[in-house]
């Protein structure tokens, strides 16, 4: 472990990697502030740039963009009540009321300190938890990997809203289907290419990510025409107020930041949970722990109500790297994109990554410490100036993103067919979004499809074509049981409330 940490430090402190941390945090902060984009779109836009970089530098850049976007998403939540991403929705509950009271500077400063605390604590936990999980999982075989991927795919319920579990599962299946397009890597047989030479290599991961997230997000924003009111958009930076936080306020919110950071990391480690769920849970926990007098402040400008979700969502963003790096299971749409980028580099995330690519493994973790310091240094002095970015007209922003997305996809293959395909997938994604189908499960199924097929094939060869490999090994059996429980959880969750309501109605009828 010490050798690995030293390897990570020596890699992370290279000038190019320090520069990548800075650029990633800087770009992520700005993109995260723009309402509607968020970390998924931010990383999708960064992928074309990372293809020309060393694997360690590329992943460090994307990691910086990830937690930078989570960090920066709070700015628009606090200033104009327009969350930069879903994980900062809860921040607006108490952050925006503080801004309305003339305490925007204090709210932004508290959000920055809370984000730093959550990111730092989770990075320390990550340093300890990652190698422990990796050492346990070194005994994994193909059957276990297949079971893990099934578990990852069954966690799609986290990507969906209430009552949309079936839609999320259908999108996962669609992603698996798209992943089969192209030439079979084992037999060399063409599948679903319809005789088109351009489809022989399959659908590009970058193409699908850009089409379903960055491109579709921009087009949806134009279609919705949900631009902000002029008076809201023109934030007066001179009225942001003091950024000073008193000793009493620090004493009040410090326990909240620590509790929420630990909770956020635990939630982030769970595949399929993510920063949004962590933020809501932390806010709910703090409200339940608060006194009756303090509870009344929640929703009207509570300091604890602001610090809790900001600590939790940043801790969860670092915690999501545990299943990604040690098990190869992405816990969110963002880490699914990073999984695809790692595979594009020829790196297989999972138990062997600690042995085969220790420089990448440890440098990403070490870079998180550096990244949190960079984010704090960037955000505090630049708060009055950063807020001016929120006044960038949509008429300028939309063409820039469209240009970057189309150019990025074209420069990877230099094939105009990919641009046509991207437009096709973008149109399909817009139609599916209008029907409230989530996009993250589609990308997750696409990313895991090839790996899942390869491990299933190897497991079937070892077991002479029998499905007994699913229960012969204890590890495989346990993981498959967990996957079944996760799959049935939404059904049972919907069933029991109905049962309780029926029993309550029967009891009240008898009483009458």
């Amino acid at each position: 472990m010490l050798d690995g940490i030293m390897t990570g430090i020596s890699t992370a402190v290279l000038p190019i990697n320090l520069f990548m941390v800075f650029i990633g945090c800087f770009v992520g902060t700005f993109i995260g502030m723009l309402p509607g984009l968020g970390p998924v779109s931010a990383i999708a836009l960064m992928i074309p740039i990372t293809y020309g970089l060393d694997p360690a530098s590329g992943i460090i850049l994307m990691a910086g963009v990830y937690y930078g976007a989570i960090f920066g998403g709070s700015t628009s939540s606090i200033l104009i009540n327009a969350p930069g991403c879903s994980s900062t929705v809860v921040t607006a509950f108490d952050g925006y009321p503080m801004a309305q009271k003339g305490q925007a500077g204090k709210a932004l400063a508290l959000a920055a300190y809370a984000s730093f605390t959550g990111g730092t604590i989770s990075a320390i936990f990550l340093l300890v938890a990652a190698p422990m999980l990796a050492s346990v999982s070194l005994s994994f075989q193909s059957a276990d990997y297949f079971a893990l991927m099934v578990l990852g795919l069954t966690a799609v319920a986290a990507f969906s809203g209430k009552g949309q579990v079936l839609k999320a599962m259908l999108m996962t299946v669609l992603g698996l289907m798209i992943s089969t397009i192209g030439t079979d890597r084992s037999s060399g047989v063409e599948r679903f290419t319809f005789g088109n030479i351009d489809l022989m290599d399959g659908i590009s991961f970058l193409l699908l990510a850009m089409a379903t997230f960055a491109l579709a997000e921009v087009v949806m924003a134009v279609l919705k025409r949900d631009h902000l009111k002029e008076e809201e958009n023109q934030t007066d930076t001179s009225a942001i107020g003091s950024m000073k936080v008193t000793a009493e306020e620090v004493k009040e919110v410090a326990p909240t930041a620590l509790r929420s950071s630990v909770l956020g990391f635990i939630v982030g480690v769970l595949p399929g949970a993510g920063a949004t769920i962590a933020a809501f849970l932390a806010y709910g926990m703090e409200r339940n722990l608060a006194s009756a007098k303090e509870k009344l402040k929640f929703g009207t400008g509570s300091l604890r109500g602001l610090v809790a979700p900001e600590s939790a969502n940043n801790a969860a963003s670092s915690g999501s790297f545990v299943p990604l790096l040690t098990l190869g299971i992405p816990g969110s749409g963002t880490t699914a994109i990073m999984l695809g980028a790692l595979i594009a580099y020829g790196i297989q995330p999972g138990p062997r990554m600690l042995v085969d690519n220790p420089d990448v493994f440890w440098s990403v973790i070490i870079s998180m410490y550096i990244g949190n310091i960079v984010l704090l240094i960037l955000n505090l002095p630049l708060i009055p100036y950063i807020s001016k970015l929120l006044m960038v007209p949509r008429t300028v922003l939309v063409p820039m993103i469209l240009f970057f997305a189309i150019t990025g996809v074209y420069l990877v293959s230099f094939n105009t067919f990919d641009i046509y395909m991207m437009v096709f997938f973008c149109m399909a994604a817009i139609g599916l979004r209008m029907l409230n189908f989530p996009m993250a499960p589609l990308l997750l199924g696409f990313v895991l499809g090839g790996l899942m097929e390869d491990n299933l094939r190897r497991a079937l060869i070892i077991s002479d074509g029998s499905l007994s490999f699913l229960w012969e090994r204890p590890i495989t059996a346990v993981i498959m049981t967990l996957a079944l429980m996760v799959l049935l959880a939404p059904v049972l969750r919907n069933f029991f409330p109905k049962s309780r309501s029926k029993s309550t109605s029967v009891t009240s009828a008898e009483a009458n």
Side-chain angles (χ1 to χ4, degrees):
M1 180 176 170
L2 288 175
D3 291 340
I5 292 172
M6 294 307 297
T7 302
I9 292 172
S10 61
T11 306
V13 298
L14 291 173
I16 181 66
N17 290 337
L18 289 175
F19 182 68
M20 287 301 120
V21 172
F22 179 81
I23 292 296
C25 293
F26 187 78
V27 172
T29 299
F30 278 91
I31 295 180
M33 288 189 322
L34 300 174
L37 289 183
V40 179
S41 301
I43 291 182
L45 289 168
M46 286 294 106
I47 290 175
I49 298 172
T50 61
Y51 278 172
L53 297 173
D54 177 78
S57 302
I59 301 304
I60 285 173
L61 173 64
M62 284 193 284
V65 170
Y66 181 22
Y67 45 79
I70 299 288
F71 201 106
S74 60
T75 304
S76 55
S77 294
I78 292 168
L79 292 178
I80 57 175
N81 200 27
C85 55
S86 59
S87 59
T88 58
V89 169
V90 193
T91 305
F93 293 173
D94 287 283
Y96 186 61
M98 286 183 69
Q100 289 180 310
K101 295 175 184 177
Q103 297 180 320
K106 180 176 287 188
L108 289 168
L110 277 171
Y113 292 134
S115 299
F116 175 77
T117 304
T120 303
I121 290 175
S122 63
I124 294 169
F125 285 168
L126 182 61
L127 197 68
V128 177
M132 286 173 58
L133 276 173
S135 62
V136 170
S137 54
L138 277 172
S139 59
F140 278 29
Q141 295 181 6
S142 296
D144 309 320
Y145 276 116
F146 173 75
L148 270 175
M149 288 167 195
V150 171
L151 177 61
L153 291 177
T154 55
V156 295
F159 295 124
S160 58
K162 189 175 181 181
Q164 289 191 319
V165 179
L166 185 59
K167 286 184 177 180
M169 290 179 180
L170 287 172
M171 293 301 287
T172 307
V173 173
L174 181 58
L176 290 170
M177 291 167 66
I178 295 172
S179 71
T180 61
I181 296 173
T183 306
D184 187 347
R185 286 180 286 188
S186 297
S187 62
V189 175
E190 291 181 26
R191 300 184 296 187
F192 311 112
T193 60
F194 307 103
N196 193 321
I197 298 174
D198 293 306
L199 287 175
M200 285 180 65
D201 291 331
I203 303 297
S204 163
F205 162 74
L206 172 64
L207 184 156
L208 193 64
M210 293 289 242
T212 54
F213 285 97
L215 207 60
E217 198 73 59
V218 168
V219 177
M220 283 292 289
V222 173
L223 291 174
K224 285 180 180 177
R225 298 181 181 277
D226 56 352
H227 52 276
L228 299 166
K229 294 178 182 177
E230 233 178 277
E231 59 271 19
E232 287 179 336
N233 205 9
Q234 293 179 351
T235 307
D236 183 6
T237 54
S238 63
I240 281 180
S242 172
M243 292 167 53
K244 186 179 179 182
V245 181
T246 64
E248 289 78 12
E249 289 168 339
V250 171
K251 189 176 179 181
E252 179 188 349
V253 300
T256 297
L258 294 174
R259 282 193 297 266
S260 301
S261 298
V262 174
L263 175 66
F265 179 80
I266 294 170
V267 173
V269 168
L270 302 173
T276 305
I277 294 173
F280 275 99
L281 287 176
Y283 188 85
M285 179 181 73
E286 282 306 312
R287 196 176 183 283
N288 290 331
L289 290 174
S291 61
K293 183 180 177 182
E294 185 65 30
K295 277 183 183 178
L296 297 174
K297 295 180 183 178
F298 278 76
T300 61
S302 167
L303 300 184
R304 290 171 65 178
L306 171 65
V307 167
E310 276 300 294
S311 302
N313 62 25
N314 278 269
S317 66
S318 296
S320 64
F321 280 85
V322 173
L324 174 68
L325 297 177
T326 61
L327 302 175
I329 298 177
S332 63
T334 311
T335 47
I337 291 181
M338 295 189 72
L339 172 62
L342 281 166
I343 293 169
Y345 276 125
I347 297 172
Q348 174 59 62
R352 293 294 306 174
M353 187 177 175
L354 191 63
V355 178
D356 298 337
N357 304 97
D359 55 330
V360 178
F361 185 93
W362 290 106
S363 63
V364 170
I365 296 175
I366 299 299
S367 73
M368 290 181 185
Y369 291 91
I370 304 168
N372 276 289
I373 297 170
V374 169
L375 283 168
L376 194 64
I377 294 170
L378 271 177
N379 278 264
L380 287 178
L382 296 178
I383 280 173
Y385 308 101
I386 285 173
S387 60
K388 289 183 178 179
L389 185 70
L390 300 172
M391 295 191 295
V392 173
R394 195 179 293 265
T395 51
V396 174
L397 185 65
V398 168
M400 285 176 62
I401 294 175
L402 288 173
F403 172 78
F404 194 86
I406 293 170
T407 306
V409 168
Y410 179 74
L411 289 176
V412 171
S413 62
F414 294 97
N415 189 350
T416 53
F417 179 80
D418 284 357
I419 297 177
Y420 297 140
M421 286 297 295
M422 184 170 68
V423 172
F424 169 76
F425 279 115
C426 176
M427 300 278 289
I430 291 168
L432 288 167
R433 282 189 178 204
M434 287 180 172
L435 295 172
N436 293 321
F437 281 86
M439 288 295 107
L442 169 72
L443 203 61
L444 183 62
F446 177 78
V447 169
L448 292 182
L451 296 170
M452 196 173 178
E453 183 182 4
D454 291 342
N455 284 290
L456 174 61
R457 190 168 280 160
R458 282 195 290 266
L460 286 171
I461 291 171
I462 293 170
S463 63
D464 294 325
S466 171
L467 291 176
S468 59
F469 72 87
L470 292 173
W471 57 81
E472 280 181 346
R473 284 173 54 81
I475 297 177
T476 313
V478 168
I479 296 172
M480 289 302 293
T481 303
L482 286 173
L484 187 63
M485 289 169 63
V486 171
L487 192 64
L488 294 176
V491 179
L492 296 175
R493 193 164 54 240
N494 291 333
F495 174 75
F496 284 118
K498 291 177 184 177
S499 300
R500 282 198 296 270
S501 62
K502 284 180 182 177
S503 62
T504 305
S505 61
V506 168
T507 306
S508 60
E510 289 174 352
N512 291 332

